[in-house]
Amino acid sequence: MTDTALALGSFDGLHIAHMKVLSSAASCSAVAVLFDVPPAMEMSGKRELLLPLEEKHKILENMGFSVEVLDFSAVKDVFAEDFLLGLYETYAPRKICCGFNYSFGKGGKGNTEKLKAFCNQKGIELCIIDAVEMDGSAVSSTRIRELLKSGDIRSANKLLGRDYAVKGRVSHGDKRGRTLGYPTVNFMYPQDMCEVKHGVYATTVMLENNEYCAVTYVGKRPTYKLDDTICETNIIDFKGDLYEKEITVNFRRFLREEKTFNSVDELVKQIYNDIKAAKEEKL
């Protein structure tokens, strides 16, 4: 038996309930065991991540965890007992931590009851974290995705414990924003990330260790009719060339629905009001 504690879970989003599981695993040698893709998404074929795997990896390492990423397609047909035995033979853990609804093994047949029996047999300490509630409902990745899709960014961020963010490489657009007096940086909304409600948001962007207030539009531009969803950001009071650079946009608050404008003047006036609202959000 080693001094290793295992934290088991999909950890999609590393939200505040996940942090309870992870904090319970804090020890001299803590290992987070997760899948490359959350099993439910792998089974459905639809990706709606709350956090890219590389970002998840980085956060966990900064918390002091070693990270074991399992290839779900390679282990999805492994029986529950064999899955647990594999973890035991690899890590000989002193402690295992997971959420109340953790499932594992072929068909998701493994549950906390089976895990409890296994730990009793092997003399492993087991810590099962109950549901974490906020505002009367359990915190879950599913709930956070629903909030993002409805535009309730503030509530989603509260459950995440940080701002929801998407990352992309700035591409050359049609430079229409520059002609309007409000230059923007554009990138395609990441297809594997949960898509927020289309509209305009108060956001922030980190550039060279400086945080900038920003306004971000997510959608397909009803005025100009695009085929794919874009993330179009006006970084307030920033001057410089960001083409081909990777930036992260942090969502703070939903400002308004997307709309079609009847004139350029009407669009420019609305952009001015959006920037004013975003600055007020930052204060």
Side-chain angles (χ1 to χ4, degrees):
M1 191 75 65
T2 64
D3 192 33
T4 298
L6 300 183
L8 307 179
S10 292
F11 301 121
D12 177 28
L14 290 179
H15 56 61
I16 59 173
H18 292 150
M19 290 301 178
K20 285 254 187 181
V21 174
L22 292 164
S23 63
S24 69
S27 71
C28 296
S29 179
V31 181
V33 181
L34 56 144
F35 295 107
D36 54 347
V37 178
M41 292 187 198
E42 182 69 21
M43 299 298 283
S44 68
K46 185 177 182 181
R47 304 288 175 91
E48 292 184 313
L49 299 175
L50 297 176
L51 191 65
L53 181 60
E54 60 271 19
E55 291 298 314
K56 191 185 302 185
H57 205 291
K58 189 183 303 181
I59 292 172
L60 287 168
E61 287 190 334
N62 287 339
M63 292 174 64
F65 280 83
S66 297
V67 183
E68 176 73 26
V69 179
L70 303 178
D71 180 351
F72 178 71
S73 62
V75 301
K76 65 183 177 68
D77 291 325
V78 174
F79 290 109
E81 294 78 5
D82 293 332
F83 177 78
L84 292 178
L85 195 58
L87 291 179
Y88 178 75
E89 291 174 347
T90 301
Y91 297 103
R94 173 180 62 81
K95 183 179 183 181
I96 292 179
C97 305
C98 66
F100 71 100
N101 58 351
Y102 180 67
S103 62
F104 54 93
K106 185 175 182 179
K109 295 291 180 65
N111 54 28
T112 53
E113 287 302 312
K114 287 189 176 181
L115 183 55
K116 189 181 299 182
F118 181 86
C119 288
N120 285 339
Q121 180 187 6
K122 299 294 185 182
I124 301 169
E125 179 186 352
L126 176 62
C127 181
I128 298 174
I129 301 300
D130 292 331
V132 175
E133 290 199 356
M134 183 170 285
D135 300 328
S137 298
V139 176
S140 71
S141 299
T142 298
R143 182 182 169 194
I144 293 170
R145 279 191 285 272
E146 289 172 352
L147 290 168
L148 292 172
K149 292 175 184 178
S150 71
D152 191 353
I153 296 297
R154 281 179 162 170
S155 294
N157 289 346
K158 189 177 177 183
L159 302 188
L160 281 169
R162 66 181 183 282
D163 291 344
Y164 181 65
V166 296
K167 182 182 292 186
R169 192 168 299 280
V170 177
S171 60
H172 287 274
D174 52 23
K175 298 181 174 61
R176 188 174 281 110
R178 186 175 301 175
T179 65
L180 300 175
Y182 298 102
T184 61
V185 290
N186 308 329
F187 58 84
M188 302 302 296
Y189 196 97
Q191 291 186 340
D192 58 350
M193 292 292 289
C194 180
E195 195 166 299
V196 298
K197 179 179 180 179
H198 289 186
V200 177
Y201 293 83
T203 58
T204 59
V205 174
M206 287 294 296
L207 293 172
E208 298 175 345
N209 297 319
N210 293 313
E211 184 179 58
Y212 289 86
C213 179
V215 173
T216 297
Y217 164 74
V218 175
K220 298 183 178 180
R221 278 200 196 150
T223 301
Y224 299 110
K225 296 184 172 64
L226 297 178
D227 292 329
D228 299 308
T229 301
I230 63 165
C231 196
E232 183 175 20
T233 300
N234 172 254
I235 307 173
I236 301 169
D237 299 328
F238 174 81
K239 291 181 174 60
D241 185 359
L242 294 175
Y243 288 125
E244 298 305 322
K245 293 186 178 180
E246 193 172 66
I247 67 167
T248 300
V249 175
N250 303 287
F251 292 87
R252 302 294 301 278
R253 180 165 68 93
F254 183 77
L255 295 179
R256 64 172 176 84
E257 306 275 349
E258 59 180 347
K259 60 182 291 190
T260 302
F261 295 94
N262 297 317
S263 68
V264 171
D265 288 343
E266 185 181 348
L267 173 58
V268 169
K269 183 178 180 180
Q270 183 62 65
I271 294 173
Y272 172 84
N273 290 332
D274 292 339
I275 290 174
K276 182 179 178 182
K279 285 182 175 179
E280 291 172 353
E281 173 70 19
K282 189 71 167 57
L283 294 176

